[in-house]
Amino acid sequence: MHETHPRRGGMTRRSVLAAGLSTGVLAALGPAASAAASSARTAASAGDAPTASWFAAPANAVRPKFRWWWPDGLVDPAEIAREIDQMADAGFGGAEIAAVHHSVTDTSVLDTAHHGWGSAPWRDGVKAALRQAARRGLTVDLTLGPSWPVAVPGVTPDDEAAIKELAYGKATLTGGAAFDGPVPAPVHAAASGVTVQKLFAVQAARVNTAYSSGKATGLDADSVTDLTGRVSGGSLSWTPPDSATWVVLSYWQRGSGQQPEAGPHSSPAAYVVDHFSAAGTAAVTRYWDATILDATLRRLLTAAGGAFFEDSVELETKGLQWTPGLPAAFRAHTGRDLLPYLPAVILDSSNQIFAFEARLTQEIRHDFWETVSGLFNEHHLGALKTWAHGHGMKLRSQPYGLQTDAIASAALLDIPEGESLGFKNLDDYRCLAGGRDMAGSRVLSCESGAYAGGAYNTTWDKFLRTMGGAYAAGVNQTVIHGFSYATAPGAGWPGFAAFSPYGGAPGYGESWGPRQPTWHHVADVAGYIGRIQRVLQSGTVRADVAVFRQTGYSATGIGASWLTSTGVPLGWTHQFLSGPLLDLPSAEVSGKRLAPDGPAYKALFLEGDFFYGSTPTLAVDDARKLLKFARAGLPTVLLGAFDQALTPGVPDGGETDELRSLTAQLLALPNVRKVTDKTLVGAAFAELGVTSDVTYSVPSTLLNAHRVTGDADFYYLCNGKHAETVKPAVAAIDHDVTLRATVRTGADTVPYLLDPWSGRVTRLAQYTRDGDAFTFRVTLQPGETMVVALGRPALFGDRDGNRPHAVATDADSVVFAGGSPAVRAFVAGTFTTTLSTGRKVTTKVADVPAAVTPGTWTLSVDDWQPGADATGTEVVRHTLALDALLPWSQIPELADIGGIGTYRTTVTLPETWSPANGALLKLGSVTDTCRVTVNGVRLDPVDRLNPVVDLGGRLRKGDNTVEIEVATPLFNRLRVSNPAVFGTAARQAYGLVGPVQLVPYVQQTVA
């Protein structure tokens, strides 16, 4: 079956794929791409010069957004406007309108005939949202259809525009038995509503059990016989040529009949469109243009529209995802007919049924899904993007769910998006980030916080721990899952929740909003995320290594040898590229950097294809590009037997020899290394002189992301982990970190600490410098983050300028105070500090007051209870005197409540307390959000991941009043108010548990 074919009219496999992308990726990434990417980079640098408010008060455009769940069109425009105000007042930047109501089991109450998705009331709601968003400076995104996958009303399962499947039937012949009768019917009946199925082909093939794999039956590829022409009147007569076991296979083309999740959402019902044909996408755009986008909506999109959005591509079928144009596309892509290969690609409920010889099977499947990728990118994403731009909107999409090249799709999209629920680890984000950054785009979005069973029990600290690592892996826009519209028929207190109940139990994700006690503090969280995103959307990305992928899947959890397991814990960063990205204008090498304007990869790494048995494969066109890059000076490391490389797909005549000639030339270059042991990858980088921008003194759970502007290097650091499910849990870290300055701001470059909770920017007061390398100590709790900028003195308007800093001290720490370094000590003693001038200064601290653990507290709790209707909340006040801090679940009066509690205590400090004294207030364990007030002054927001508050000089001798306000989830209350859904789970430990300790320090300026 390894027959040879002439080149396809002079077109290589790569050029065919590129042509398939040209109306999509390369319309956005082709002739205009270089200018567009250059313009984007220029804007990124020119618009990001830090100012006094640049970090402290990030613009709405970089603030987090909500996925906003509506019960289709059963919404009130006045309530819609109120909810926009609620988001704006809380510091969020926008919302994505999504018709999702999995919790409504009786969908007839939603009245799709009058209030369905796309109906006049739904459109009125969208207009109300856009109007109010325009007034408040927010943006609104719109899902392309109700729920997911993309569907529109009026498309029937039999229509040309509807999603198709290729179903199969089978008959087994043994001992030379003949087949005589009706063509085998599909093994699975057609879905409801599918009335037409067309016989596509009939084949026979000889069984060869030597090729069987798992549940897939082995077949001899060279025995595949086309029997389609023998079918007459729906029947077939055929006798095998020998007495071996044969199978007769029939293939049936039909609609899959798939509807969007949890429907119906409209009247007439919506059916999923063909994602691989122009007809499918045209049905979507035609419906929007003709039915939804009237003149008013078009104007409002200009005022407040953000992006059209498509959720992950969950095309569910018991057969093979299909489109009528696939055979022609396969021939254009490969120069071969698809029919002889069909047994190796046909599916039964996502399972392979047949297999040829293992290597041939891999090649066929690779060619098939590469063809599907081209169709998906060209006819679906590319066409939708062009249409969206015509309405002044962007296209945001989750381009995964199929065996398609999500990396290439990410390069096509305005905004690729991942998800915290479906992504298995950080490498899934790094795949999409590679596509984004090679295309010169700015944003990688994430559907965030969709925890199974998380309704009304999700804490913000859990959310932030989830997202901390994702930001390090390239995410810089958070779409929070989610904000539910206030109410729907049958909803109980505290209101309609899109996913709860779900199967009679708490559902996916949280329903954030004023119904939650923690909303009282949510502006602190929104400000924190907004500041992180302000930094991570600035300038351009820098990543150390480009990992080349022969197969560009995402949402798989597959990482890169050495880099993921060993390199990242040492400070290395990497992204993934696939073949189509090598055709982008940015794919050039200069100064030994690939894509020198960003991400400016220092090296390229290639290993065997994880998705196809780790075989060392490389397409000829990709090999040519990698050879070109290496000849231009790019350090390159190959893991595996690439001197014996194979093509990923079925090779043309002489193609394998050509490939091995190219890899031989590649391996002969002095800046290329081949290793056979993955543990030696790091050593190969070292031999080539490749180092990471960030290094740690010890292997660490610290993660990092690096971005550069014309003014500074920005580093985001997070004590996180590769995957949330990995054990053991992340522990606190305390070690040295070295960051490299790459932006030339002169010899006076200094490091700044940017506090994403308070928005304050301060000079780092203790570090060492060796050329462009800055080394300092990093101490972070699990999930805690740090943002550091390396730039010129006074970059953020600070007054510390380029004054001397400390390079060493035996005091607890050094800070800048009043423009000068000051030592901070928590115990008495004599401390020596060495300044950057070389001068050593001795500081004597005679006395530090002892730490104080408050013994008694007054606790006032506002207990949130069901009110008169589904959205009404009654608040009942409880006041208690506490001799010890306990979780509310262990206090009888508070065991089953959720709400807001205020803890008050008095701390008496000695008469010797002086202005040189300050203190840290360590809160210990607290659930969930909190704020601290001292002597009537509310302090900066509390870091949810390390709840320690610096009280500075706000304390005085004598009595001091400390108040800690804590807001909790509602789960404990719902356990008793709605036991049918929430009553089976244990109570959660809410409130301030501590231990709470006031730890004084003395701070003295270094003379």
Side-chain angles (χ1 to χ4, degrees), residues 24-26 28-29 377-378 381-382 385 407-414 435 439:
V25 172
L26 297 179
L29 307 178
N377 285 336
E378 176 184 357
L381 295 184
K385 179 179 176 180
I407 298 174
S409 297
L412 166 61
L413 292 163
D414 295 308

Side-chain angles (χ1 to χ4, degrees), residues 533-753:
Q533 294 181 172
R534 167 68 286 178
V535 169
L536 294 180
Q537 289 190 32
S538 297
T540 54
V541 169
R542 291 291 181 267
D544 295 321
V545 179
V547 179
F548 183 79
R549 276 263 155 97
Q550 302 93 329
T551 304
Y553 300 162
S554 188
T556 66
I558 301 299
S561 292
W562 189 81
L563 282 161
T564 295
S565 60
T566 303
V568 169
L570 295 175
W572 289 80
T573 58
H574 64 279
Q575 294 181 340
F576 295 91
L577 314 183
S578 65
L581 272 60
L582 304 186
D583 293 319
L584 299 179
S586 62
E588 298 292 338
V589 173
S590 177
K592 299 184 179 181
R593 297 291 186 100
L594 174 60
D597 293 334
Y601 304 113
K602 302 175 184 179
L604 186 140
F605 175 64
L606 171 65
E607 60 184 321
D609 191 341
F610 276 117
F611 302 102
Y612 290 94
S614 294
T615 306
T617 61
L618 192 59
V620 167
D621 297 304
D622 296 334
R624 290 195 189 100
K625 285 292 179 74
L626 299 191
L627 179 59
K628 174 186 174 183
F629 297 159
R631 283 174 171 166
L634 181 67
T636 303
V637 176
L638 292 81
L639 171 60
F642 278 91
D643 52 339
Q644 296 297 311
L646 300 169
T647 61
V650 178
D652 289 328
E655 194 171 14
T656 300
D657 291 338
E658 182 181 2
L659 171 63
R660 291 179 181 176
S661 172
L662 291 167
T663 57
Q665 296 174 62
L666 180 66
L667 291 168
L669 295 174
N671 56 317
V672 176
R673 294 289 183 277
K674 180 174 81 76
V675 296
T676 56
D677 185 338
K678 64 183 178 182
T679 64
L680 301 178
V681 172
F685 287 138
E687 287 180 15
L688 294 171
V690 179
T691 58
S692 56
D693 284 339
V694 181
T695 56
Y696 310 146
S697 59
V698 295
S700 175
T701 52
L702 189 63
L703 303 164
N704 76 83
H706 182 194
R707 297 189 75 97
V708 299
T709 69
D711 302 287
D713 289 88
F714 289 89
Y715 287 95
Y716 166 84
L717 307 174
C718 174
N719 182 16
K721 55 184 174 179
H722 180 56
E724 283 195 88
T725 56
V726 173
K727 304 296 182 182
V730 172
I733 60 170
D734 183 4
H735 59 74
D736 283 346
V737 172
T738 300
L739 309 180
R740 188 167 299 280
T742 65
V743 177
R744 304 305 173 192
T745 58
D748 294 333
T749 299
V750 295
Y752 295 88
L753 290 178

Side-chain angles (χ1 to χ4, degrees), residues 960-978:
N960 294 263
T961 301
V962 177
E963 295 184 354
I964 304 167
E965 185 180 75
V966 179
T968 79
L970 285 176
F971 192 81
N972 286 354
R973 170 54 65 191
L974 286 163
R975 286 182 70 256
V976 294
S977 69
N978 189 357

Side-chain angles (χ1 to χ4, degrees), residues 67-112:
R67 179 156 293 178
W68 191 7
W69 294 307
W70 290 13
D72 296 327
L74 202 62
V75 295
D76 174 25
E79 174 60 27
I80 291 296
R82 279 193 294 272
E83 293 182 8
I84 285 285
D85 282 339
Q86 289 162 359
M87 297 179 207
D89 292 342
F92 292 87
E96 165 210 314
I97 297 173
V100 177
H101 46 67
H102 288 58
S103 61
V104 181
T105 55
D106 181 5
T107 55
S108 65
V109 302
L110 298 177
D111 186 14
T112 57

Side-chain angles (χ1 to χ4, degrees), residues 282-294 298 387 391:
V284 177
T285 58
R286 185 169 54 247
Y287 184 85
W288 276 85
D289 287 339
T291 306
I292 295 179
L293 296 178
D294 59 23
R298 291 170 193 257
W387 170 78
H391 290 290

